[in-house]
């Protein structure tokens, strides 16, 4: 079945499932950039046209590869990118920069790497604790006036930060981690998005590969970003693999894969909250894109959703090594 579309925000219609292009960069191990580009083309071929990247992914590598896709297929893609993280994503030397002058600098650099004149959705990757959110979003609003950006978004903002930002300029989408085993956003962030009419874009919807049939602990090699996440450490991972087995039991009942169940669960939660929700699973492989897209045709029963709902309370480890780095630690 073709991938349907969703109105994520007024004037922003995207594919009902997106593609998270962090996987295009070597953050989970080595990447064949030609294969990554072929995977992007395959995603668009099957209707997954909402492509999400960021300037920090591979120090610009992801944007450059996405730019090659856009050079041939810009009119087919709804393009999102992010700014605000600086330094090394995987080495712990990262920082946040939400200063208004950097807002203008970052968009120009991203537009050059992407080879485009305008970005459909521009996110603040993390809220800068040293800069009032109103100042950062005010500068982002200037990009809309300049015609460089069509819609604004935030990533990992709290409900309060989302309201404050929206008061300065309409926020089209909030992006945060949300999955079967990461549900903290449902307490404050999701209700704020519903209240304000803001779309939700769950990242890491299959928990960085954990909620897939393909994941094996031996896949986490040197340089893999997952070494930084508590749920993948030696003590937590066996517990969390037991949770994956419980998701697989539902997948067997639904004649689906573990990843498809994880994505279908998110679609069901979005509907339950009355929220436009478009997840952005990432992968380096075209076959996985096809598998993930198949989730739009998976319907879970109320009983299956309820059983999956119970798993978040059983997960071992926090979803971030530094809780203040995500909305959970600042609520």
């Amino acid at each position: 079945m073709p991938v349907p579309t969703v109105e994520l925000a007024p004037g922003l219609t995207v594919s009902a499932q997106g593609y998270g292009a962090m996987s295009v960069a070597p953050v989970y191990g080595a990447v064949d950039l030609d294969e990554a580009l072929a995977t992007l083309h395959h995603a668009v071929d099957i209707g997954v046209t909402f492509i999400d990247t960021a300037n920090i992914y591979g120090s610009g590598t992801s944007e450059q590869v996405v730019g090659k896709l856009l050079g041939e297929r810009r009119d087919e893609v709804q393009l999102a990118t992010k700014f605000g993280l600086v330094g090394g994503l995987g080495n712990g030397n990262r920082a946040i920069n939400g200063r208004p002058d950097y807002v203008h600098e970052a968009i120009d650099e991203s537009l050059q790497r992407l080879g485009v004149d305008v970005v459909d959705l521009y996110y603040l990757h993390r809220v800068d604790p040293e800069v009032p959110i109103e100042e950062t979003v005010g500068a982002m609003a200037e990009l809309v006036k300049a015609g460089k950006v069509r819609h604004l978004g935030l990533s990992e903002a709290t409900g309060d930060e989302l309201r404050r930002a929206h008061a300065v300029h309409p926020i089209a989408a909030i992006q945060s981690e949300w999955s079967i085993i990461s549900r903290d956003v449902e307490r404050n962030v999701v209700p704020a998005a519903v209240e304000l009419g803001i779309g939700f874009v769950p990242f890491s919807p299959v928990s960085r590969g954990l909620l897939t049939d393909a994941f094996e602990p031996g896949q986490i090699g040197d340089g893999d970003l997952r070494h930084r996440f508590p749920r993948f450490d030696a003590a937590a991972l066996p517990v969390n693999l037991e949770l994956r087995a419980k998701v697989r039991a539902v997948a067997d009942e639904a004649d689906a894969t573990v990843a498809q169940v994880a994505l279908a669960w998110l679609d069901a939660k979005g509907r339950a909250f009355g929220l436009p929700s478009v997840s952005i699973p990432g992968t380096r492989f075209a076959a996985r894109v096809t598998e993930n897209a198949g989730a739009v045709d998976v319907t879970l029963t109320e009983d299956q959703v309820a059983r999956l709902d119970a798993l978040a309370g059983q997960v071992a480890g926090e979803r971030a090594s530094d809780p203040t780095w995500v909305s959970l630690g600042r609520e």
Side-chain angles (χ1 to χ4, degrees):
M1 294 289 291
V3 177
T5 59
V6 170
E7 187 178 45
L8 190 60
L12 181 60
T13 297
V14 304
S15 55
Q17 186 180 111
Y19 177 87
M22 187 167 76
S23 299
V24 168
V27 294
Y28 294 134
V31 174
D32 181 321
L33 296 183
D34 289 334
E35 183 179 29
L37 178 58
T39 297
L40 284 168
H41 275 288
H42 176 72
V44 177
D45 286 343
I46 66 172
V48 179
T49 56
F50 182 36
I51 308 297
D52 181 281
T53 183
N55 62 355
I56 199 172
Y57 296 160
S59 300
T61 299
S62 177
E63 286 188 330
Q64 290 169 346
V65 177
V66 171
K68 291 181 180 180
L69 170 79
L70 299 172
E72 300 179 39
R73 310 183 73 168
R74 178 64 182 100
D75 291 345
E76 299 175 69
V77 170
Q78 301 89 50
L79 170 64
T81 193
K82 300 180 284 294
F83 80 99
L85 293 185
V86 294
L89 188 61
N91 61 18
N93 295 321
R94 57 188 180 175
I96 304 173
N97 189 344
R99 296 195 308 270
D101 58 339
Y102 180 64
V103 173
H104 290 270
E105 176 186 336
I107 188 61
D108 288 341
E109 292 175 351
S110 286
L111 291 174
Q112 183 176 19
R113 281 189 292 266
L114 291 161
V116 299
D117 297 323
V118 61
V119 168
D120 297 307
L121 177 58
Y122 198 45
Y123 290 98
L124 173 62
H125 210 153
R126 291 293 188 276
V127 176
D128 190 335
E130 304 298 325
V131 179
I133 187 69
E134 292 85 355
E135 292 184 14
T136 306
V137 173
M140 294 170 69
E142 293 172 359
L143 305 182
V144 177
K145 293 179 182 178
K148 297 179 180 181
V149 171
R150 293 193 173 106
H151 301 274
L152 302 185
L154 302 178
S155 180
E156 287 290 1
T158 65
D160 177 64
E161 290 163 346
L162 189 55
R163 291 184 181 90
R164 288 166 54 198
H166 194 69
V168 175
H169 186 279
I171 300 299
I174 173 69
Q175 180 179 127
S176 289
E177 183 171 356
W178 191 12
S179 73
I180 289 172
I181 58 175
S182 295
R183 299 184 58 194
D184 53 273
V185 293
E186 294 177 27
R187 292 200 294 266
N188 295 306
V189 183
V190 169
V194 172
E195 169 194 329
L196 299 170
I198 295 172
F200 207 104
V201 178
F203 72 76
S204 297
V206 296
S207 196
R208 295 179 172 83
L210 179 65
L211 297 180
T212 68
D213 288 296
F215 176 78
E216 296 295 340
Q219 295 173 354
I220 305 178
D222 294 341
D224 193 307
L225 185 67
R226 287 174 287 194
H227 284 296
R228 293 183 50 82
F229 291 93
R231 290 178 179 174
F232 291 91
D233 68 28
L237 189 53
V239 175
N240 295 332
L241 286 174
E242 290 180 10
L243 299 186
R244 195 262 301 264
K246 295 179 180 180
V247 180
R248 180 174 284 132
V250 173
D252 290 343
E253 295 171 6
D255 192 23
T257 67
V258 170
Q260 287 172 341
V261 166
L263 295 165
W265 176 88
L266 267 171
D267 290 343
K269 300 309 285 188
R271 290 191 296 271
F273 279 103
L275 181 74
S277 176
V278 178
S279 60
I280 48 169
T283 177
R284 290 171 282 174
F285 307 111
R288 297 286 179 235
V289 175
T290 301
E291 175 190 344
N292 292 339
V296 301
D297 297 318
V298 174
T299 300
L300 301 174
T301 67
E302 291 184 6
D303 174 71
Q304 289 167 339
V305 171
R307 286 155 55 196
L308 296 169
D309 282 352
L311 300 183
Q314 304 169 35
V315 68
E318 298 293 337
R319 68 180 178 93
S321 55
D322 179 359
T324 65
W325 197 254
V326 298
S327 61
L328 172 63
R330 302 193 312 280
E331 289 180 334

